[in-house]
Amino acid sequence: MHDTSHKCRISNRAVGPGDFRPISVVPVLSRILERIVVSRYIYPAFDHLPFRLRIQDQFAFRPTGSTSAALIDLLQKVTEMLLDNEYVVITSVDFTKAFDRVRHHALSIKYLQLDLPDHIHNWLMDYFKGRGHLTRAGDVSSLIAWINASIIQGSGVGPPSYVVEASDLHPRNSQNAITKFADDTYLLVGSTSIGTINEEFNNIEQWANNNNMKVHPSKTKELIVSRPRSKPKIDPLRPFIDGAERVSTLKVLGVVLDSRLTMSEHVSRVLSACASSTFALRLLRTHGLGSDQLHLVARATTVGSIMYASPAWWGFAGIGDRQRFERLLARLRRCGFLPCDFPSIETLANEADRKLLKSISQCPSHVLRHLLIEKPTSGCSLCPRAHNFIQPPKDNRNYLGPFIKLSVPHRVKHIALLSWRLQHYYLHTNAFVTEVSI
């Protein structure tokens, strides 16, 4: 097994060693062995972690983890906090080169707390030792620099090892929350406990110092999310955390959030990106690309950009924003970039929601399973249901549907008009008419 890794340039304007990152080059047999160890020993050990090590708030490098799951968890926590808080502060924290700064000794101590056989633990620690990297430019190679703090990027055991490393980072106060996706960390603090936000941030910085990490100062941003019809009395220019940047929109794992969770800014940015991909599709057709190939490219680029993490943000998007996507899809159909019978965005979003719900219901260890509460079994013989979960309560105070937003007189008028339309329809179809009560 090779114990050296070549440095791979990650910037087109490399000016120093910091612009390079070591990527491990290991044999195929080694990667196969690593995947076996991860799937048979490390992942099962995640189901029985001690109390001090918890990964319920980590959604990267887990079998069912994804950015969609992390966004769903974060938005769920924010909306639940808004039930009891006037506003919620989302603070994004990023660690500088987190994967390259993990100390092997500290990682070994945390691995000892997992339910792993001794020979697997010894193999893991031996795997991290005795490695080095070199930089090669043409025919010139540097001397080997031995690695003593890294989880070896490009390896099979590296990603789950970072999950173990960050498993002891938790909020100090129970009313606050943290959502993590790899080294991207988001701290959530409500208005009723806003006095603890600096304590929570200091806790994150202390954890970083104890684990050889460093908080990226320029990537620490604050977003205040408030109720739709409330105006929190706070200074819009002075952040709660010293050195943080107060922003009106925050890009969280590829989805842009604003202070009202309306998704309008996210839709505008996605449409702007889709305009570039549409131009590329026209260019490809000019160069002779066939219709079938154009359809594949459009699905992979334009439609893929629209549907990214749709189960997390689609429910927050307004009707106007959804229609903007539908108009874009209609234009792609007219131009021949998509088939004429290509489904609507609404259909694709509903199908994505259905697949996610099916995945959660069929996997008891799913990272989002804690959000669904199983319905108690009944002794009666009932019709089969699509799932056996309790429907989540509707938030009628913060995020109202279009019909609920109507005032009482307009609501009565709306029901009366609906009743008249139903009667008119049944009269013309010779059906039985029943009185609709208001």
Side-chain angles (χ1 to χ4, degrees):
M1 181 184 296
H2 297 287
D3 289 343
T4 59
S5 60
H6 301 281
K7 271 198 169 184
C8 178
R9 190 173 69 172
I10 60 175
S11 174
N12 293 329
R13 299 180 180 179
V15 295
D19 297 321
F20 295 86
R21 181 165 296 176
I23 305 297
S24 296
V25 181
V26 296
V28 176
L29 291 178
S30 174
R31 293 184 62 85
I32 294 175
L33 177 60
E34 294 168 25
R35 292 179 180 178
I36 293 175
V37 171
V38 170
S39 60
R40 293 188 179 182
Y41 295 99
I42 297 180
Y43 281 159
F46 284 172
D47 298 332
H48 307 283
L49 290 175
F51 178 77
R52 186 172 175 272
L53 304 181
R54 300 192 302 272
I55 61 172
Q56 287 80 5
D57 53 4
Q58 175 66 266
F59 295 89
F61 313 132
R62 296 176 61 187
T64 57
S66 63
T67 53
S68 297
L71 284 164
I72 291 173
D73 179 79
L74 185 143
L75 292 172
Q76 177 71 18
K77 291 175 180 176
V78 171
T79 52
E80 288 180 352
M81 285 183 172
L82 285 176
L83 293 175
D84 304 316
N85 296 270
E86 185 180 2
Y87 60 87
V88 176
V89 179
I90 304 177
T91 306
S92 65
V93 183
D94 184 74
F95 301 104
T96 303
K97 297 182 179 180
F99 290 2
D100 300 333
R101 303 175 68 94
V102 177
R103 287 197 185 100
H104 297 164
H105 177 69
L107 181 62
S108 173
I109 294 176
K110 295 177 183 179
Y111 261 126
L112 279 173
Q113 302 179 51
L114 269 64
D115 187 15
L116 292 175
D118 293 341
H119 63 280
I120 296 298
H121 176 268
N122 296 336
W123 180 87
L124 286 170
M125 295 304 102
D126 184 69
Y127 179 85
F128 288 114
K129 293 180 180 179
R131 289 186 173 271
H133 65 256
L134 57 87
T135 302
R136 179 176 297 167
D139 297 332
V140 181
S141 300
S142 67
L143 298 176
I144 297 177
W146 299 106
I147 300 174
N148 56 9
S150 173
I151 58 171
I152 309 177
Q153 294 194 61
S155 64
V157 300
S161 295
Y162 185 82
V163 174
V164 176
E165 175 69 12
S167 60
D168 58 344
L169 174 59
H170 312 295
R172 282 194 172 183
N173 301 276
S174 58
Q175 64 270 28
N176 304 327
I178 285 180
T179 296
K180 295 177 287 189
F181 188 86
D183 58 334
D184 294 332
T185 305
Y186 300 93
L187 172 65
L188 311 177
V189 180
S191 59
T192 58
S193 58
I194 197 61
T196 64
I197 188 170
N198 283 284
E199 179 186 356
E200 295 288 359
F201 187 74
N202 293 335
N203 176 50
I204 295 176
E205 287 187 321
Q206 182 180 359
W207 177 89
N209 294 331
N210 295 338
N211 290 271
N212 198 34
M213 301 284 183
K214 184 179 180 181
V215 175
H216 203 301
S218 63
K219 292 186 178 181
T220 303
K221 303 180 185 299
E222 283 184 4
L223 173 67
I224 299 178
V225 179
S226 58
R227 297 173 183 173
R229 290 167 301 280
S230 66
K231 295 182 180 180
K233 298 179 180 179
I234 55 178
D235 187 354
L237 301 178
R238 182 181 180 183
F240 292 107
I241 299 175
D242 295 336
E245 179 186 359
R246 177 74 57 78
V247 295
S248 58
T249 60
L250 180 64
K251 193 172 185 179
V252 179
L253 303 177
V255 175
V256 181
L257 305 181
D258 59 17
S259 59
R260 302 293 184 180
L261 297 183
T262 59
M263 300 300 162
S264 297
E265 182 65 24
H266 174 71
V267 173
S268 298
R269 295 195 187 186
V270 171
L271 289 175
S272 177
C274 290
S276 302
S277 62
T278 304
F279 174 78
L281 290 171
R282 292 195 183 98
L283 195 62
L284 290 174
R285 183 168 59 184
T286 304
H287 286 76
L289 191 66
S291 298
D292 294 339
Q293 288 75 18
L294 278 174
H295 297 167
L296 291 176
V297 175
R299 287 192 183 102
T301 56
T302 306
V303 179
S305 299
I306 296 174
M307 298 307 301
Y308 169 75
S310 63
W313 60 265
W314 182 257
F316 292 90
I319 296 178
D321 293 328
R322 298 184 183 187
Q323 290 176 349
R324 295 169 67 186
F325 281 141
E326 298 294 354
R327 288 194 293 268
L328 173 62
L329 236 63
R331 186 163 62 250
L332 293 176
R333 295 190 194 98
R334 289 195 304 268
C335 295
F337 297 139
L338 288 175
C340 296
D341 58 346
F342 192 79
S344 63
I345 294 295
E346 183 82 26
T347 303
L348 295 176
N350 292 336
E351 180 64 17
D353 293 344
R354 187 194 64 81
K355 289 182 179 179
L356 178 61
L357 177 60
K358 182 179 179 181
S359 173
I360 299 174
S361 60
Q362 293 181 351
C363 181
S365 60
H366 198 281
V367 292
L368 295 177
R369 187 60 180 258
H370 65 280
L371 298 178
L372 301 179
I373 302 176
E374 293 191 8
K375 190 176 182 179
T377 58
S378 175
C380 303
S381 179
L382 303 176
C383 297
R385 303 172 71 245
H387 59 81
N388 193 35
F389 299 112
I390 299 176
Q391 295 288 345
K394 184 177 180 61
D395 184 1
N396 293 332
R397 182 170 53 178
N398 296 322
Y399 302 98
L400 311 180
F403 176 70
I404 303 297
K405 286 182 180 178
L406 296 175
S407 60
V408 174
H410 288 83
R411 190 181 307 172
V412 173
K413 181 179 179 181
H414 180 83
I415 299 177
L417 180 61
L418 177 62
S419 173
W420 180 85
R421 287 178 178 175
L422 288 175
Q423 294 180 13
H424 187 267
Y425 170 77
Y426 284 123
L427 285 174
H428 282 76
T429 55
N430 296 324
F432 179 75
V433 181
T434 58
E435 181 181 357
V436 179
S437 60
I438 301 177

